Amino acid sequence: MTTLAPVAASRKVPVTILTGFLGAGKTTLLNRILRERHGERIAVIENEFGEQGIDNDLIIDSGAEQIVEMNNGCICCTVRGDLVRILGELRQRRESKPEAFDRVIIETTGLADPGPVAQTFFIDEDISAYYAIDAILTVVDAKHASEQLDAFHEAQEQVGFADRILLSKTDLVSSDELTDLRARLVRINARAPMKPVHFGETPIADIINVGGFSLDSILEIEPGFLDEEDHHEHNDDVKSFAFTSSRPLDAARLQAFFRDTIAEHARDLMRYKGVVEFAGFDHSVVFQGVHMMMASDAGRIWSEGEVRESRLVFIGRNLPKDALLARLERCVAS
Amino acid sequence: MDSNSSSRLLCKSLPVRDDPNVAFAEPWEAKAFAIVVKLADAGRFTWQEWVECFSKEVAAATAVEAAGGVPKTYYEQWLDAAERMMTEKGLTSKEQIAARRFALGVTGVAHVLK
């Protein structure tokens, strides 16, 4: 299908939001990315807050990257405005010198909630016209994740927001511990694939062009997640749940469902995504959202004989899963 | 955009409203207007094609009014004609418009991700 929007979107500067808890290895990973010869010129916005900074000497030596540091404390509380300002400055620099950089990576503090950082790209018109989020990546320290998830809701939120989870320090834990951790992470976020990173080493392809906010990207749900039962040792506040239906949904009812759900739970509804069949549509309809920001588009045409399964995934904090699932059940077209 | 060609287009068929001081009542009207001018300018359809397409909408609205009904507003006619024109030219599809309206209907225009 010919559309105008994707052309414009592809011209925007892709932005990666790199989150992860204190000491998880974000900076190691970032230094690794910057050192790798991948032909990408990357502008880094770093929000230093009690963490070891980027090795500036190293970066300057390599000559190819631009570093912009932000030292104004925590992104989520005070410097959303600064993020706007700094992205504006980067834009000016790139407009006078297009080869300055091809993409931006924002490294957030260990305690940052990725939500407001992500929302900056949707709410600010100037920013959203020029930049597009590629993905939120969350580095999870396999050794300490379990304690961190218990102790800090920010850690759960970072996992919940992720389009991809990068597991660091997997060599420091037993395979049983790793299996448990993976299972816990899947319950928090059923749609983010997990990739191990070893001392910050991971193929650049795991990091860029992830398309986490792209409506075209496939809605992946971790295998086994749908069949899992709800009894677990850890009862995290942030959880995901999925709804699937092999019968078409009613567009107006689903729209009303989202209107109500967002009105009631926008703050706790972190990410949601769906590929659905609406009664009377030849195409699938795809949508996704962050809190109360939402996008939808026509997906591909269902092919002949294809099982038209609607799939929706919700990730949020203390969401009334059973009540929402019951309401979704009523969105099935009669 | 080539300002000469667009101003030529504008001169040809700029709608005249009842109140010359109010060009657009709402921002979306200006947007809808600009999109059509810009697409015509980009050669996606000719201005003549647009005039024909829009005339049909105007005629339909006039008929509604003549029959005692409440016709669509000027820019509602403009928007519906624009959607039809773009669909006919394969710039978008009915399905895509309907699908995009899904999020719009949920969150309102200020919260639709672009």
Side-chain angles (χ1 to χ4, degrees):
Chain A
M1 190 188 335
T2 319
T3 60
L4 295 174
V7 179
S10 69
R11 290 198 198 115
K12 292 183 187 179
V13 176
V15 177
T16 301
I17 299 172
L18 185 63
T19 78
F21 221 58
L22 219 62
K26 295 190 296 294
T27 306
T28 311
L29 177 67
L30 195 49
N31 275 326
R32 210 66 198 224
I33 295 167
L34 294 174
R35 222 177 343 186
E36 205 179 306
R37 293 187 186 280
H38 41 61
E40 293 273 337
R41 290 173 306 255
I42 300 169
V44 176
I45 298 177
E46 202 192 14
N47 180 219
E48 282 194 68
F49 195 77
E51 269 190 285
Q52 192 195 349
I54 289 266
D55 186 344
N56 281 298
D57 293 339
L58 173 72
I59 304 311
I60 289 160
D61 281 346
S62 75
E65 290 88 11
Q66 303 272 339
I67 297 297
V68 178
E69 291 204 24
M70 246 165 79
N71 291 306
N72 289 346
C74 186
I75 284 183
C76 60
C77 318
T78 53
V79 287
R80 237 205 281 186
D82 276 24
L83 189 57
V84 170
R85 177 183 59 75
I86 211 153
L87 287 164
E89 285 170 13
L90 280 173
R91 175 182 179 165
Q92 279 180 355
R93 195 187 300 186
R94 192 165 178 270
E95 276 169 352
S96 60
K97 196 178 163 218
E99 66 281 12
F101 60 91
D102 309 310
R103 61 177 60 243
V104 175
I105 298 181
I106 299 175
E107 184 193 0
T108 70
T109 72
L111 283 163
D113 173 359
V117 181
Q119 278 182 303
T120 302
F121 288 86
F122 303 126
I123 292 168
D124 189 280
E125 294 258 336
D126 290 336
I127 299 297
S128 68
Y130 196 73
Y131 298 96
I133 300 185
D134 174 34
I136 297 176
L137 308 179
T138 299
V139 187
V140 171
D141 174 343
K143 178 78 183 158
H144 300 104
S146 199
E147 291 158 33
Q148 290 169 337
L149 290 168
D150 287 341
F152 302 101
H153 66 90
E154 292 92 343
Q156 294 183 21
E157 269 141 32
Q158 289 178 352
V159 171
F161 261 105
D163 293 297
R164 186 162 287 183
I165 293 167
L166 302 167
L167 279 172
S168 67
K169 304 181 192 176
T170 50
D171 54 323
L172 300 181
V173 295
S174 69
S175 66
D176 283 354
E177 284 173 303
L178 193 58
T179 305
D180 285 352
L181 175 63
R182 279 176 169 269
R184 185 173 181 185
L185 295 172
V186 169
R187 287 194 295 275
I188 296 175
N189 186 335
R191 60 166 280 270
M194 289 179 223
K195 306 261 177 180
V197 289
H198 202 60
F199 293 104
E201 208 167 339
T202 190
I204 190 87
D206 284 351
I207 309 287
I208 65 170
N209 301 333
V210 170
F213 282 80
S214 161
L215 284 170
D216 302 331
S217 65
I218 299 161
L219 176 54
E220 294 173 80
I221 302 176
E222 280 294 314
F225 172 74
L226 296 171
D227 316 318
E228 269 210 51
E229 286 179 31
D230 239 353
H231 309 292
H232 296 286
E233 183 188 344
H234 304 285
N235 197 10
D236 295 314
D237 291 340
V238 178
K239 275 199 207 70
S240 41
F241 66 89
F243 174 78
T244 60
S245 170
S246 51
R247 287 158 61 208
L249 305 181
D250 180 276
R253 277 187 231 159
L254 192 67
Q255 202 171 42
F257 165 85
F258 272 101
R259 207 179 295 133
D260 295 347
T261 304
I262 286 171
E264 285 165 45
H265 306 290
R267 279 193 53 204
D268 294 324
L269 189 53
M270 291 155 51
R271 304 273 310 251
Y272 45 102
K273 188 159 183 166
V275 179
V276 298
E277 181 197 9
F278 282 145
F281 278 55
D282 294 335
H283 292 251
S284 61
V285 171
V286 291
F287 58 83
Q288 61 136 333
V290 178
H291 293 309
M292 66 183 305
M293 313 287 298
M294 190 173 183
S296 60
D297 205 348
R300 50 185 192 80
I301 299 176
W302 299 106
S303 44
E304 190 99 13
E306 183 182 359
V307 180
R308 301 184 175 191
E309 191 189 50
S310 296
R311 297 148 73 90
L312 293 87
V313 175
F314 299 82
I315 302 171
R317 207 181 294 122
N318 300 318
L319 293 174
K321 173 182 162 183
D322 293 339
L324 295 176
L325 286 175
R327 280 209 59 186
L328 281 165
E329 211 51 75
R330 294 198 287 274
C331 294
V332 173
S334 40
Chain B
M1 167 160 59
D2 178 343
S3 61
N4 282 333
S5 69
S6 62
S7 52
R8 212 169 48 237
L9 287 174
L10 291 172
C11 290
K12 248 181 181 170
S13 181
L14 184 61
V16 180
R17 290 177 57 103
D18 297 343
D19 179 355
N21 294 317
V22 184
F24 303 108
E26 303 219 28
W28 70 262
E29 298 181 346
K31 224 175 219 176
F33 179 75
I35 286 168
V36 168
V37 172
K38 188 105 177 156
L39 285 172
D41 221 28
R44 299 301 185 117
F45 44 81
T46 68
W47 198 250
Q48 189 53 43
E49 285 175 310
W50 168 248
V51 169
E52 282 163 22
C53 178
F54 185 48
S55 303
K56 284 182 202 159
E57 277 294 331
V58 175
T62 310
V64 168
E65 198 168 22
V70 181
K72 288 184 256 185
T73 67
Y74 187 87
Y75 279 102
E76 282 168 358
Q77 298 164 35
W78 183 279
L79 180 63
D80 287 348
E83 286 185 358
R84 191 147 51 85
M85 186 87 252
M86 285 185 245
T87 308
E88 277 171 20
K89 292 291 177 182
L91 299 174
T92 183
S93 62
K94 278 182 187 164
E95 289 83 359
Q96 188 170 40
I97 292 171
R100 294 231 172 151
R101 282 207 172 120
F102 180 72
L104 201 63
V106 170
T107 62
V109 69
H111 289 104
V112 169
L113 302 180
K114 288 178 231 31

